[in-house]
Amino acid sequence: MNQYLSALMAQVVTDLVNGNYQKLVDESQEERQTPEWLEEAVRQYPGKLTQPPMEAFATVWVIDIDDTNESMAHFDLWADNEPSDLTVKVVVYKPYESMKYTVWDLLVM
């Protein structure tokens, strides 16, 4: 896994865990979600989001989007210190070193 992509996903997850929804929206490159939508999606999930161990970020699933400089990264969030079925989907823009992203979705998978 690319170290920049791993660091970016770790930061997005940390912001979700800490309730930094406005920051996630402000840093997103596209107007996809609102802070209220992110907060409600997290609130509706049973259990409390918790920070996963760093080694969990090795499980980030990345799909390159054809004919673009974008990838879609999926990561299963942790709740109550266990892996959950709540997944964050993030569009990440290449080069990954630029640390540019858009939080695309939060969904149960």
Side-chain angles (χ1 to χ4, degrees):
M1 156 96 35
N2 179 289
Q3 68 181 5
Y4 295 102
L5 179 57
S6 182
L8 176 92
M9 292 303 291
Q11 185 58 55
V12 167
V13 170
T14 297
D15 286 336
L16 284 169
V17 168
N18 292 330
N20 296 331
Y21 310 119
Q22 186 66 53
K23 178 181 180 238
L24 289 166
V25 169
D26 289 346
E27 290 182 354
S28 287
Q29 301 298 300
E30 297 179 45
E31 292 184 30
R32 174 74 181 168
Q33 307 301 346
T34 65
E36 296 80 16
W37 186 90
L38 291 170
E39 182 176 17
E40 183 66 13
V42 169
R43 189 189 65 71
Q44 286 185 10
Y45 189 78
K48 179 175 174 21
L49 287 188
T50 52
Q51 189 68 36
M54 284 309 292
E55 59 267 13
F57 291 97
T59 66
V60 173
W61 182 41
V62 181
I63 302 168
D64 288 330
I65 301 171
D66 290 340
D67 301 322
T68 70
N69 67 335
E70 303 169 3
S71 298
M72 179 69 74
H74 299 222
F75 182 75
D76 293 334
L77 297 167
W78 283 45
D80 300 323
N81 297 310
E82 298 287 334
S84 75
D85 57 357
L86 182 62
T87 301
V88 62
K89 292 172 66 175
V90 179
V91 173
V92 183
Y93 304 91
K94 296 176 187 172
Y96 296 142
E97 293 85 351
S98 69
M99 303 292 274
K100 292 183 180 178
Y101 67 92
T102 296
V103 174
W104 199 256
D105 208 354
L106 280 175
L107 65 158
V108 175
M109 293 184 68

